[in-house]
């Protein structure tokens, strides 16, 4: 409904401040792709970053655990890129002299503190689709762990050589701290460690599935976006008042009183 055609209805009828309602917009709820609709957040990207510049060279998914990884190509020709440092960190990628030329983003699931929806405004109507999951993609630093492991292994070899040359070293007295836990605490700790280790093991064992990435403006993206529009626009019979409906979605709508 356009602003010109909208009836001049008092906002008091909806329990809102006494202002003129200039337009009423129909809202349609659709679940066509709700189970597969995820919100991906990039907390490391600046607000000035343009849409379509992400363009990962590789994207992969572990569907059972819902983990996502993307490899983003780094501009190694940039004057801001240190090739010397890139060679040092490239050891964490491979042993063949490769420089660090990618940044891997790994998903971190964010607990939903509210209900989120994706909305498309088309031909005077708002089409809403519930969002299944919220995920942040953050830089993975696994390559630093691999660099540290290789440095530790090299250091251990050097120490072993020194021990062989110096002979058997004299044992030195050391002060140790002994912590005594109850049997219940030990059992609880063991179960917690086993649970975390089990989850991590299952996560590592699940194979990656290759993902095809399509950014905004692509034909595939436009096709998926079209499924955000409701196919059925029949009027629904509302069994709650506007206040009850808003409260069910966002909680209390009463203003805070200081």
């Amino acid at each position: 409904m356009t602003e010109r055609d909208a009836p001049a209805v008092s906002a008091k009828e909806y329990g809102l401040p006494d202002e003129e309602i200039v337009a009423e917009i129909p809202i349609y709820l659709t679940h066509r792709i709700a189970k597969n609709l995820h919100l991906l957040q990039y907390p490391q990207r600046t607000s000035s970053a343009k849409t379509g510049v992400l363009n990962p060279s590789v994207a992969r998914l572990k569907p059972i655990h819902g983990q996502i990884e993307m490899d983003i190509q780094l501009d190694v020709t940039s004057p801001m890129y240190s090739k010397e440092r890139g060679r040092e960190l490239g050891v964490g990628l491979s042993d063949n002299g490769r420089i660090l030329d990618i940044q891997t983003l790994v998903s971190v699931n964010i607990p939903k503190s509210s209900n989120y929806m994706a909305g498309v405004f088309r031909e005077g109507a708002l089409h809403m689709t519930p969002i299944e999951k919220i995920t942040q993609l953050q830089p993975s630093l696994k390559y630093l762990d691999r660099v540290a492991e290789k440095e530790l292994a090299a250091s251990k070899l050097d120490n072993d050589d020194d021990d062989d040359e110096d002979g058997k070293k004299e044992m030195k007295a050391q002060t140790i701290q002994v912590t005594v836990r109850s049997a219940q605490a030990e059992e609880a700790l063991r179960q917690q460690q086993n649970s975390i280790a089990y989850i991590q093991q299952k996560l590592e064992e699940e194979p990656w599935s290759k993902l095809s990435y399509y950014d905004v403006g692509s034909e595939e993206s436009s096709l998926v976006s079209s499924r955000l529009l409701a196919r059925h626009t029949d009027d629904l019979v509302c069994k709650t008042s506007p206040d009850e409906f808003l409260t069910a979605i966002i909680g209390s709508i009463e203003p805070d009183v200081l």
Side-chain angles (χ1 to χ4, degrees):
M1 182 175 293
T2 64
E3 180 177 342
R4 181 181 60 185
D5 298 332
V9 181
S10 172
K12 285 186 176 181
E13 297 182 20
Y14 294 95
L16 301 174
D18 190 13
E19 296 179 357
E20 181 185 4
I21 296 178
V22 297
E24 292 186 356
I25 301 173
I27 299 177
Y28 303 117
L29 181 64
T30 175
H31 290 79
R32 295 176 65 186
I33 61 172
K35 292 184 178 180
N36 299 315
L37 186 60
H38 294 192
L39 174 62
L40 301 183
Q41 299 177 337
Y42 302 88
Q44 303 298 323
R45 295 181 67 188
T46 62
S47 58
S48 59
K50 296 181 179 179
T51 302
V53 300
L54 187 62
N55 193 24
S57 57
V58 178
R60 48 192 173 268
L61 167 71
K62 291 189 175 183
I64 297 178
H65 292 86
Q67 189 175 49
I68 301 172
E69 281 191 357
M70 294 183 184
D71 291 341
I72 311 299
Q73 205 72 30
L74 298 177
D75 183 8
V76 298
T77 63
S78 169
M80 303 300 293
Y81 181 86
S82 171
K83 292 188 177 180
E84 180 180 356
R85 185 58 175 160
R87 293 188 186 94
E88 295 175 358
L89 297 178
V91 176
L93 297 180
S94 67
D95 296 323
N96 59 3
R98 177 183 177 182
I99 65 173
L100 184 67
D101 56 354
I102 61 171
Q103 180 187 56
T104 299
L105 301 180
V106 60
S107 62
V108 178
N109 292 332
I110 305 300
K112 291 174 62 176
S113 59
S114 185
N115 295 318
Y116 292 86
M117 293 188 175
V120 177
F121 191 75
R122 184 72 57 84
E123 297 180 357
L126 182 61
H127 301 256
M128 307 289 290
T129 301
I131 293 176
E132 176 72 14
K133 183 185 294 185
I134 302 174
T135 300
Q136 285 189 353
L137 288 171
Q138 301 179 358
S140 171
L141 302 179
K142 286 185 178 180
Y143 64 92
L144 292 180
D145 295 335
R146 299 189 189 102
V147 171
E149 289 173 0
K150 292 180 179 180
E151 292 178 347
L152 181 61
S155 176
K156 184 177 180 181
L157 288 176
D158 292 340
N159 291 335
D160 290 343
D161 291 340
D162 293 339
D163 290 345
D164 292 338
E165 294 174 0
D166 297 340
K168 191 175 181 180
K169 293 185 177 181
E170 183 180 353
M171 297 291 293
K172 295 183 179 180
Q174 296 181 352
T175 302
I176 62 173
Q177 181 178 359
V178 179
T179 302
V180 180
R181 297 190 182 94
S182 65
Q184 294 84 351
E186 288 285 356
E187 178 64 17
L189 179 61
R190 185 185 64 81
Q191 292 180 357
Q192 181 183 12
Q193 291 174 340
N194 288 343
S195 176
I196 295 175
Y198 178 78
I199 294 175
Q200 184 64 28
Q201 178 185 356
K202 289 298 182 182
L203 176 60
E204 295 294 336
E205 290 177 351
E206 184 182 357
W208 288 104
S209 298
K210 185 178 179 181
L211 283 179
S212 298
Y213 181 88
Y214 303 104
D215 215 326
V216 175
S218 64
E219 182 179 349
E220 292 81 2
S221 175
S222 300
L223 178 62
V224 173
S225 298
S226 66
R227 300 180 65 187
L228 292 172
L229 303 177
R231 288 180 295 186
H232 305 289
T233 57
D234 300 333
D235 292 338
L236 301 178
V237 178
C238 185
K239 297 182 178 180
T240 61
S241 67
D243 285 354
E244 292 172 338
F245 178 73
L246 291 175
T247 301
I249 296 177
I250 62 175
S252 176
I253 60 175
E254 293 295 331
D256 295 333
V257 179
L258 300 179

